[in-house]
Structures are given as structure tokens and as C-alpha cells.
Amino acid sequence: MAAKIPVTALGAGTVGQIVSVSKTDRFTTTSTSYADITGFTASITPQSTSSKVLVISNWCWSSDASPYPKFILLRGSTSINVGDSSGSATQVSVGNNTDPAADENAIQQEQLSHHFLDSPSSASSVTYKWQTKTFNSGRTITVGGTATTNDGNKVNVPTNITLIELLQ
């Protein structure tokens, strides 16, 4: 285990540590309930309960037909950084209502980014992860590339999550 330097010796806002995970495989789901995006997770053990954690994520999603994907960020099993409740709208961290012509065409690729400064109030290991769901089990969400890989114009894209501890 690495030695920890007292926060008082460094000053507030100093970077305590950085954890970064990059997954290069694809994830697909037709789930209408939130499902973990396999490998789109990272853990960090803050040096102090007053530390903040900057969560930076980027990923690409695609679909065989418009799935109206919903994405939520979780700390442990609790969703964080979601919108307020309003009417029948779903509370999400990132949502997308892309609707190609006739609602049936493939969505080739959309790149998404998200960042959030969290206050986990913990000096124990904290895990952040992403989940997604589709509105219709007949619609597949693909994370990590285009919906198909049948020619050289299609792509595979890394999915990244980085955690930066900021000492307070």
C-alpha cells in the first residue's frame, strides 16, 4: 500500500489519486430495466471523508433501431447526478431521444461524455458504474461501437471512466 500524505501538507484541491479504466469490447442489451454496462466501472479509495471525486466518462452507443436509451451513473447501488422528477419523464444522468426516420433505421454511432464532481463522504472503497436500458426489448443498445461491423466504415470505440480524487 502506498503511503498517504496528509491533506494539510498538500492543500485543498490537490489531486490525491487518479484511477482510469478503458474497456475496448462491446456491450449489448435489450433490457427494459437498468443493466450494468459490463466493464464500465471503476473503484477508488478516497484518502479522507472530505475528498471529492471527479468522475469523467465517455462512450459511444449505437442501435439497430431507435431505443431511446437511458444511462445512469451509480455510486455503489445508488444512482447519482440524475435530473429532477417532472411529469412522466425518466430521471437519468444522460439520455438520448434520437429518432431516425421512420423510427426503425439504425443509429450508427453517437459519442457521449459526462462529468460530475461527487462528494462520496467515505474513506473506504467507492465504486462508480454505468447502467443503461432501452424502452423496447425489441431494440438493441450497443456500447463500444457501431451497431454492425460488416464493413470498414463501421467502428469499435473504447469506453472510458476516470476517477480523480480532489483533496479538501
Side-chain angles (χ1 to χ4, degrees):
M1 184 166 140
K4 294 184 180 180
I5 300 171
V7 174
T8 55
L10 298 174
T14 301
V15 172
Q17 60 184 306
I18 299 172
V19 174
S20 190
V21 175
S22 182
K23 70 182 246 99
T24 57
D25 61 332
R26 292 166 170 263
F27 166 84
T28 60
T29 187
T30 57
S31 179
T32 56
S33 299
Y34 282 110
D36 289 354
I37 301 173
T38 309
F40 199 6
T41 182
S43 297
I44 193 167
T45 302
Q47 295 183 32
S48 167
T49 57
S50 63
S51 290
K52 297 193 180 298
V53 177
L54 179 60
V55 182
I56 303 170
S57 308
N58 68 292
W59 67 101
C60 159
W61 76 273
S62 60
S63 182
D64 54 351
S66 185
Y68 300 103
K70 312 295 188 260
F71 296 93
I72 57 170
L73 175 63
L74 292 94
R75 179 194 333 108
S77 59
T78 303
S79 59
I80 57 174
N81 192 226
V82 296
D84 290 340
S85 176
S86 178
S88 298
T90 304
Q91 294 174 266
V92 298
S93 302
V94 177
N96 195 304
N97 282 336
T98 300
D99 191 10
D103 195 44
E104 299 300 324
N105 295 326
I107 296 171
Q108 289 304 322
Q109 172 187 347
E110 293 205 2
Q111 191 74 31
L112 299 176
S113 295
H114 180 274
H115 62 273
F116 175 63
L117 185 60
D118 189 31
S119 300
S121 300
S122 177
S124 300
S125 181
V126 180
T127 299
Y128 294 90
K129 66 181 180 178
W130 282 93
Q131 293 182 335
T132 189
K133 71 176 182 176
T134 179
F135 87 103
N136 178 329
S137 62
R139 311 282 175 97
T140 301
I141 295 173
T142 300
V143 174
T146 48
T148 63
T149 57
N150 57 355
D151 67 52
N153 293 320
K154 309 303 188 236
V155 298
N156 295 314
V157 181
T159 300
N160 304 296
I161 182 168
T162 301
L163 309 177
I164 303 173
E165 178 188 12
L166 300 172
L167 306 177
Q168 300 300 303

